[in-house]
Amino acid sequence: YKTNDYSILSNTKSLIIGCGPAGLRMAIELALHGNKNIECIDCRDIWSRKQIVAIWNITESDLKSFGIRDLLPKFTKNPHKKSIPITFLQHFLLR
């Protein structure tokens, strides 16, 4: 189902299960489309993920559009090293 009418989201309650990068990005997308009642839950009490993930080109442009270079000026300037710790990504998406 695809639509350009997101007005229905303003009166919708949304529950996102999982506060990893994908869950937090979904919360941002819902908020950008007018959803004001979003709840995210996760099984972890703290962010303890130590993994470092590779950044795809589309993810890189998405993060740049949200201003990641304000916090990390050297983000992806090295074309051979496109990676980021998941914990940093989670903190960035919540700001």
Side-chain angles (χ1 to χ4, degrees):
Y1 179 74
K2 189 169 183 157
T3 182
N4 290 329
D5 180 17
Y6 297 103
S7 61
I8 191 170
L9 290 176
S10 63
N11 297 319
T12 303
K13 293 180 182 179
S14 300
L15 173 65
I16 299 173
I17 300 172
C19 293
L24 294 175
R25 183 61 182 90
M26 175 55 75
I28 290 169
E29 196 66 27
L30 287 168
L32 288 173
H33 287 296
N35 190 318
K36 294 180 178 28
N37 194 350
I38 304 166
E39 184 173 350
C40 299
I41 60 172
D42 198 277
C43 64
R44 297 181 171 123
D45 291 338
I46 60 170
W47 288 338
S48 59
R49 296 180 184 186
K50 302 295 182 201
Q51 299 97 336
I52 294 178
V53 294
I55 299 294
W56 298 342
N57 289 339
I58 193 159
T59 306
E60 177 184 354
S61 61
D62 191 45
L63 293 172
K64 285 179 185 176
S65 73
F66 284 125
I68 196 165
R69 287 233 170 112
D70 296 339
L71 295 175
L72 191 62
K74 294 181 182 178
F75 178 71
T76 68
K77 286 193 176 177
N78 181 350
H80 303 293
K81 185 182 178 188
K82 290 188 176 185
S83 59
I84 192 168
I86 288 180
T87 304
F88 181 85
L89 188 55
Q90 288 172 305
H91 284 280
F92 171 73
L93 291 172
L94 273 178
R95 76 172 181 100

